[in-house]
Amino acid sequence: KAGVTQTPRYLIKTRGQQVTLSCSPISGHRSVSWYQQTPGQGLQFLFEYFSETQRNKGNFPGRFSGRQFSNSRSEMNVSTLELGDSALYLCASSLGHTGGADTEAFFGQGTRLTVV
Amino acid sequence: AQSVAQPEDQVNVAEGNPLTVKCTYSVSGNPYLFWYVQYPNRGLQFLLKYITGDNLVKGSYGFEAEFNKSQTSFHLKKPSALVSDSALYFCAVRDRSSSASKIIFGSGTRLSIRP
């Protein structure tokens, strides 16, 4: 079974630009979560999508947005990029419902975004 | 609100010695608890989880973790450390009372195993 795939792996953008990151979850997984990882702040939850609906949202400004498609693939978008947005963005997928064996999340390798 | 605390930024252990990485949590209901490991420039890899039942959970690469409800802790342990265990370890919690609850991660503990 293929794992979680994130594209692209690396991105360099200029301040003020926008960026779109993509995540393909494990087949059959309906929940996709996004996290921002930085050395200073650790792993910060951005949002979670389940069956094309945003189910949870972290404390990030409105410049950060996402969506999920009917095939469970997800994208996140960051507009008006700032230097502080430089980070590793991680996507995780899970089946998305309660149940003893099915609650862990599986992570992609991440997209390293550098804003210059 | 859910939260996870990993009180140690770094843990240093000699190869062959036992290791412990600490984690405490806070949830309004009963928790699902997880440990993940991250190697440089990689995503997180799932190590083990506590759902219910036996408080001692065994996972990948010889790791285990002990759930202690009274102390709200879920410490990661290994009887004999390997140099290859050196990595960043994250504890995480999810409130089992809601299918909509998100997984919250601790700040991470860097484990360094010296030969």
Side-chain angles (χ1 to χ4, degrees):
Chain A
K1 199 183 239 187
V4 179
T5 303
Q6 290 188 249
T7 56
R9 288 292 312 279
Y10 301 93
L11 266 178
I12 300 176
K13 290 286 188 179
T14 305
R15 272 183 303 173
Q17 287 186 312
Q18 75 162 13
V19 66
T20 299
L21 311 181
S22 179
C23 173
S24 294
I26 292 171
S27 177
H29 284 191
R30 295 165 64 191
S31 170
V32 174
S33 297
W34 289 89
Y35 293 83
Q36 181 196 65
Q37 186 178 21
T38 58
Q41 298 296 318
L43 268 171
Q44 301 290 312
F45 174 78
L46 280 155
F47 27 66
E48 180 198 8
Y49 287 86
F50 178 78
S51 293
E52 302 179 68
T53 300
Q54 188 179 85
R55 191 160 72 170
N56 277 297
K57 190 176 189 306
N59 296 322
F60 277 81
R63 299 186 297 108
F64 292 81
S65 63
R67 59 179 176 169
Q68 187 179 33
F69 302 96
S70 58
N71 62 357
S72 293
R73 190 177 70 84
S74 177
E75 290 180 346
M76 69 162 281
N77 185 78
V78 188
S79 62
T80 320
L81 283 165
E82 300 176 0
L83 294 179
D85 297 332
S86 295
L88 180 66
Y89 289 87
L90 292 166
C91 165
S93 79
S94 65
L95 285 169
H97 54 77
T98 50
D102 304 322
T103 54
E104 67 264 35
F106 296 88
F107 283 80
Q109 293 196 23
T111 295
R112 172 78 59 188
L113 172 65
T114 302
V115 182
V116 297
Chain B
Q2 305 162 221
S3 66
V4 180
Q6 293 182 243
E8 302 155 317
D9 290 336
Q10 175 133 358
V11 171
N12 300 308
V13 177
E15 187 175 27
N17 283 0
L19 68 87
T20 299
V21 183
K22 296 179 180 177
C23 170
T24 58
Y25 67 90
S26 174
V27 295
S28 55
N30 291 313
Y32 292 126
L33 294 158
F34 310 89
W35 276 101
Y36 287 82
V37 60
Q38 186 179 34
Y39 297 99
N41 298 313
R42 302 295 297 272
L44 277 66
Q45 295 178 32
F46 171 74
L47 273 180
L48 52 79
K49 65 183 176 184
Y50 171 80
I51 302 299
T52 188
D54 194 348
N55 289 342
L56 185 63
V57 178
K58 293 188 184 299
S60 307
Y61 312 121
F63 283 94
E64 57 189 29
E66 186 166 12
F67 171 63
N68 187 318
K69 188 172 183 178
S70 62
Q71 296 185 5
T72 61
S73 67
F74 189 56
H75 301 332
L76 182 70
K77 300 180 181 184
K78 187 172 183 180
S80 178
L82 299 172
V83 172
S84 58
D85 294 329
S86 299
L88 187 57
Y89 289 80
F90 290 94
C91 180
V93 66
R94 187 174 203 167
D95 188 339
R96 70 167 65 214
S97 64
S98 169
S99 62
S101 67
K102 57 199 178 208
I103 299 178
I104 297 299
F105 287 84
S107 55
T109 298
R110 188 162 301 280
L111 179 63
S112 177
I113 310 298
R114 59 184 184 274

